[in-house]
Amino acid sequence: MMITQETLQAVAAAAPGKTAFQLREQFPGVMFTECGEDDVPARLNPVLETPGHYFFLFTNASGHCLEFTSDFASATGVVVAARADGC
């Protein structure tokens, strides 16, 4: 499944209270990982922000490392980073 801005908006609407596993079930073909905002390097800008989360795109997830991207066309997954001041 290609990740579009519309897909990311739907993910953002569905994310509160859900785990990465539940999001994978709801959005087949999209990879998800979840973390806290402090786990993402401060130099990276989210592609979407909500009151409770920052959303980042990643591509080429191989092994244990993610490669962040802002390019929707090459993205294969979404990082859902919980905001420390949110929720």
Side-chain angles (χ1 to χ4, degrees):
M1 168 185 233
M2 182 175 155
I3 300 172
T4 63
Q5 289 198 7
E6 292 79 18
T7 303
L8 190 59
Q9 290 288 338
V11 167
K18 291 199 176 162
T19 65
F21 178 79
Q22 292 167 317
L23 290 171
R24 285 184 208 108
E25 288 182 327
Q26 188 171 348
F27 299 93
V30 178
M31 296 188 301
F32 289 93
T33 189
E34 56 190 329
C35 63
E37 71 175 280
D38 293 339
D39 295 321
V40 179
R43 63 180 167 73
L44 298 176
N45 295 317
V47 292
L48 181 65
E49 295 181 35
T50 65
H53 298 90
Y54 292 113
F55 296 87
F56 300 87
L57 299 175
F58 67 86
T59 185
N60 297 334
S62 60
H64 63 278
C65 296
L66 300 177
E67 182 180 322
F68 286 81
T69 183
S70 59
D71 179 22
F72 280 85
S74 66
T76 57
V78 178
V79 174
V80 181
R83 293 176 69 146
D85 62 351
C87 299

